[in-house]
Amino acid sequence: DVVTTAEALSQVITSPEQSLTFYVPEDWIVEENIEDSFFGVTNGPTPLFSGPGIGDLIDDGQLVMILAPFFINDPNNALGILGSLTADGMMGVDYGSPTEYLFDDRQAASAMLNADILDGKMIVLELPGAGYIMAQIMVPIGELYIFDETIHAIIASVVYGEIAADTSSSPPPIDTA
């Protein structure tokens, strides 16, 4: 499958200092936590940070995604970063064993959330030029597959640094096969 992000992801999000840019579907809500350098993304209608709470959003059928950039060299691969984030419930939840793969010719790793009340996963993807992006995704039980292509397209659209400030053209199609 090929997801053409120019068609599916039409809303451009750029951090205030223009160091991070990514694309989301038009009606999705994005909030930035400037203090901790991460973004909260939902498919609406309720925002993540200024809303009632993650559990309530998921109960109402919303997708919840937290995007956070990592600019570290040790461990210097997606699997190592994901392994350190999911170890011993570090993120407050339990994840399964991480799996490493290539996504759009970039290092990536993912791990499924082990929970009875919601479905989710964590993905770490190498950014072009520098660092990695971590995405923690949570959805109502049985709905993860509905958002899978969109989630991967959003994560793949993230750019950091000088190229992030140039939003004059849409990102290229992302091969998700």
Side-chain angles (χ1 to χ4, degrees):
D1 293 353
V2 174
V3 176
T4 304
T5 57
E7 295 170 8
L9 308 177
S10 56
Q11 184 178 181
V12 180
I13 307 299
T14 301
S15 61
E17 72 283 351
Q18 297 187 340
S19 63
L20 193 72
T21 295
F22 60 97
Y23 294 75
V24 297
E26 186 62 39
D27 296 331
W28 286 36
I29 298 170
V30 178
E31 295 177 288
E32 183 176 12
N33 179 322
I34 296 172
E35 182 178 312
D36 295 322
S37 298
F38 62 84
F39 292 84
V41 179
T42 70
N43 61 334
T46 308
L48 177 59
F49 301 137
S50 57
I54 291 175
D56 292 328
L57 297 180
I58 293 169
D59 287 345
D60 289 342
Q62 286 187 225
L63 169 138
V64 171
M65 181 173 8
I66 296 171
L67 289 173
F70 285 86
F71 306 103
I72 57 177
N73 293 322
D74 187 27
N76 62 359
N77 61 56
L79 185 63
I81 293 169
L82 183 69
S84 65
L85 289 172
T86 59
D88 301 322
M90 181 179 166
M91 298 295 290
V93 291
D94 182 39
Y95 284 90
S97 298
T99 304
E100 185 174 29
Y101 57 100
L102 285 177
F103 184 82
D104 202 28
D105 293 325
R106 294 186 275 161
Q107 291 180 32
S110 67
M112 298 302 292
L113 175 67
N114 294 324
D116 295 331
I117 59 171
L118 56 92
D119 281 346
K121 64 180 169 182
M122 186 179 295
I123 300 171
V124 172
L125 177 67
E126 179 182 30
L127 291 173
Y132 297 86
I133 189 75
M134 180 278 297
Q136 186 176 24
I137 302 106
M138 293 164 277
V139 297
I141 290 178
E143 294 188 13
L144 192 57
Y145 74 95
I146 295 170
F147 298 106
D148 212 36
E149 271 190 25
T150 303
I151 290 165
H152 278 91
I154 291 169
I155 296 166
S157 77
V158 176
V159 292
Y160 177 79
E162 292 178 20
I163 57 174
D166 179 13
T167 58
S168 61
S169 63
S170 299
I174 305 299
D175 184 2
T176 61

